[in-house]
Amino acid sequence: MPAVIYCPFMPIQVIEPRRLYLQIADQIRSMITVGEFPTGSRLPAERELAKRFGVSRPSMREALIALEVEGYVDVRPGSGILVTTPNGGAPDCSGDEGPLEILRVRSLIEGAIAAEVAPDMEQKDITALEKILLAMKSETTAPGRLAADRQFHHYLAAKLENKVLLRILTGLLEQGDRPWARQFAIHFDNAKTWAAVFAEHRKIVEALAARDPEQALQAMRRHLQKAHDRWALDPGRDVETGFDESPQRRSIDGDGVEPVESLA
């Protein structure tokens, strides 16, 4: 009978499935690397790519923006998704949580935070939040608006005086500084969306001022769901992003870019 060899120093580790958008990015990156999508060509529109890969458009969008950060594609309003040559200094998104994933978990955590702090809100708290809202409204730069937005959410978490929770939420808020999230903001944040963000924060303050836990929970979750949808869904007919520029609608004579005809 053969001997059984036991090695206590090499434990078996659980194999975790890779997130779908990373798998999509891996496949498109490989196709670019082997020349199936040549440098200088244009990929099909996001809607068509999602259909051909059999995935949702938000998952495809996260994959495409990750590839854009890494330098494999360039999404241009009016032109579409162009294949480019990455440079060696581009960041690698493969180890990051996706920005849409971050917003979904923030909705769960921060909705609970809003409900928890609502009964204990004092006038000084409402005054502090109103001051943050005023700063958010008066800011004209993206960094300034983002700083005011974070201050608002950080204030509510700090109200609970739970260092563990505050550390977790701070880490989630700081994900907005990562290249992947910043690229989403470049494509989809503008004066109109920030006006909507301000109005949503106003509703949160009103719910907190009423000391209504359920109203506060719903106001916070609605805000973060809308924040998610602004990045995940179509921004509207009046906004060009480049994700739904169809290569069939533009010829090589129009912009000098050869469309990719198939994903065979």
Side-chain angles (χ1 to χ4, degrees):
M1 179 177 180
V4 176
I5 300 175
Y6 173 67
C7 180
F9 302 108
M10 297 180 61
I12 296 175
Q13 297 182 359
V14 175
I15 298 175
E16 297 183 4
R18 282 173 62 77
R19 295 174 180 86
L20 179 58
Y21 47 81
L22 294 178
Q23 296 181 51
I24 299 167
D26 286 346
Q27 188 168 344
I28 296 176
R29 189 187 301 107
S30 296
M31 296 169 111
I32 292 173
T33 301
V34 301
E36 190 166 343
F37 295 154
T39 299
S41 65
R42 186 193 297 111
L43 296 183
E46 175 192 81
R47 185 189 303 274
E48 180 64 20
L49 282 171
K51 181 179 178 181
R52 297 188 189 188
F53 276 79
V55 299
S56 69
R57 290 186 65 187
S59 292
M60 179 57 68
R61 182 168 296 177
E62 281 191 294
L64 289 172
I65 292 183
L67 291 171
E68 186 175 27
V69 169
E70 294 173 357
Y72 286 93
V73 300
D74 182 14
V75 184
R76 301 180 188 174
S79 295
I81 307 164
L82 309 180
V83 179
T84 57
T85 302
N87 59 56
D92 179 7
C93 294
S94 62
D96 291 355
E97 289 83 9
L100 300 181
E101 187 176 15
I102 294 294
L103 285 169
R104 287 192 290 269
V105 76
R106 282 187 59 194
S107 179
L108 294 173
I109 294 174
E110 295 192 60
I113 289 174
E116 190 71 20
V117 302
D120 299 323
M121 294 299 287
E122 302 175 19
Q123 185 54 49
K124 65 178 183 179
D125 297 313
I126 301 302
T127 300
L129 292 174
E130 291 281 3
K131 185 177 180 180
I132 296 171
L133 282 185
L134 184 61
M136 185 185 298
K137 187 176 184 179
S138 62
E139 278 291 347
T140 58
T141 66
R145 290 167 176 164
L146 186 59
D149 177 80
R150 289 184 186 175
Q151 186 181 4
F152 183 97
H153 292 273
H154 190 275
Y155 185 97
L156 294 181
K159 176 77 175 170
L160 290 177
E161 298 183 345
N162 185 312
K163 291 183 179 180
V164 176
L165 181 60
L166 186 59
R167 184 168 64 248
I168 291 171
L169 182 62
T170 299
L172 292 173
L173 294 174
E174 289 175 350
Q175 290 291 321
D177 290 329
R178 300 189 70 82
W180 204 349
R182 289 204 306 268
Q183 197 65 27
F184 263 94
I186 288 170
H187 284 299
F188 299 106
D189 290 354
N190 51 54
K192 182 178 179 181
T193 61
W194 273 106
V197 169
F198 175 81
E200 291 155 19
H201 281 81
R202 169 66 64 193
K203 290 290 186 183
I204 296 170
V205 172
E206 290 172 359
L208 293 169
R211 297 183 180 180
D212 186 325
E214 181 61 26
Q215 188 181 345
L217 181 150
Q218 294 302 327
M220 180 63 79
R221 287 192 174 170
R222 275 195 297 271
H223 159 55
L224 290 169
Q225 180 62 53
K226 288 180 178 180
H228 173 279
D229 291 348
R230 278 188 284 269
W231 282 5
L233 305 179
D234 288 335
R237 294 179 180 272
D238 58 333
V239 179
E240 278 193 339
T241 65
F243 286 92
D244 256 349
E245 292 292 335
S246 173
Q248 285 75 23
R249 290 189 313 212
R250 298 176 184 270
S251 70
I252 189 169
D253 297 328
D255 58 11
V257 178
E258 182 70 43
V260 174
E261 295 297 336
S262 69
L263 286 172

